[in-house]
Amino acid sequence: MRILYSEEGLFNDFMQEKLAKAAALCVEKEGLNPDGAEISLTFMSREEIRKLNNDYRGIDNHTDVLSFPLIEDFHAIAADSEFMLGDVVICPQQAKAQAEEYGHSVEREIVYLFVHSVCHLLGFDHMNEADKRLMRQREEEIMTALDLERRA
């Protein structure tokens, strides 16, 4: 699994390993080979992500994470091919605020937002209750495998 960071060195090795493992687990769960997968990860301010959110979703407000998938048909990917899943954009300011609200670390929140976004890149969505349950289940599976599940 290869993650292309907008800012190299933003995270320590431990965080980069967690993000790579999270993405690899997501990809593997969908029957794809993580060795050939790439994801772009960009960090933006609230103002920058607000502009993207408005431009692409018509929502003039900041958000925590945006996903821009590049693949429509995963069946077309050969087992040994390399492929770019898409782009993930995270707002660290929003992640920090949410981590404080939920009572966990900023690192855990960023990994969760990344997992959420990778699920979107893989075709998951939460527009209706059935899809939302499936997506949340997958997110929890990945977070538990990373030993980052929600604590009561």
Side-chain angles (χ1 to χ4, degrees):
M1 187 75 226
R2 187 165 162 215
I3 300 174
L4 307 172
Y5 292 94
S6 63
E7 297 178 44
E8 284 296 324
L10 184 64
F11 291 120
N12 60 30
D13 290 343
F14 175 77
M15 269 300 286
Q16 287 185 8
E17 287 174 27
K18 282 285 189 192
L19 292 169
K21 185 173 181 181
L25 287 168
C26 289
V27 168
E28 284 173 351
K29 292 258 184 203
E30 294 307 306
L32 299 169
N33 180 1
D35 292 336
E38 276 188 354
I39 295 173
S40 154
L41 177 56
T42 303
F43 298 92
M44 291 188 167
S45 70
R46 281 189 172 139
E47 296 76 27
E48 291 169 318
I49 206 165
R50 177 183 182 164
K51 181 172 179 359
L52 272 184
N53 202 23
N54 190 37
D55 290 350
Y56 288 94
R57 297 178 63 222
I59 299 172
D60 190 17
N61 200 359
H62 66 271
T63 188
D64 50 6
V65 64
L66 292 171
S67 311
F68 298 95
L70 293 176
I71 298 175
E72 290 184 23
D73 182 7
F74 292 101
H75 298 335
I77 298 174
D80 60 346
S81 67
E82 292 185 5
F83 56 96
M84 172 61 107
L85 273 178
D87 302 310
V88 173
V89 179
I90 294 176
C91 177
Q93 294 167 296
Q94 190 63 28
K96 183 176 188 272
Q98 289 172 188
E100 290 172 5
E101 179 184 341
Y102 301 134
H104 55 244
S105 70
V106 174
E107 291 80 9
R108 190 238 180 247
E109 185 67 14
I110 287 174
V111 173
Y112 171 76
L113 293 174
F114 184 66
V115 167
H116 179 85
S117 196
V118 172
C119 285
H120 277 306
L121 297 181
L122 290 164
F124 285 84
D125 213 332
H126 44 81
M127 298 305 286
N128 63 54
E129 279 305 311
D131 289 345
K132 183 177 180 177
R133 275 192 304 277
L134 286 174
M135 186 169 180
R136 295 294 179 254
Q137 180 181 355
R138 179 54 49 88
E139 291 167 351
E140 291 302 320
E141 288 173 13
I142 301 302
M143 295 302 285
T144 297
L146 295 170
D147 196 28
L148 291 173
E149 61 271 348
R150 266 187 254 210
R151 310 277 190 227

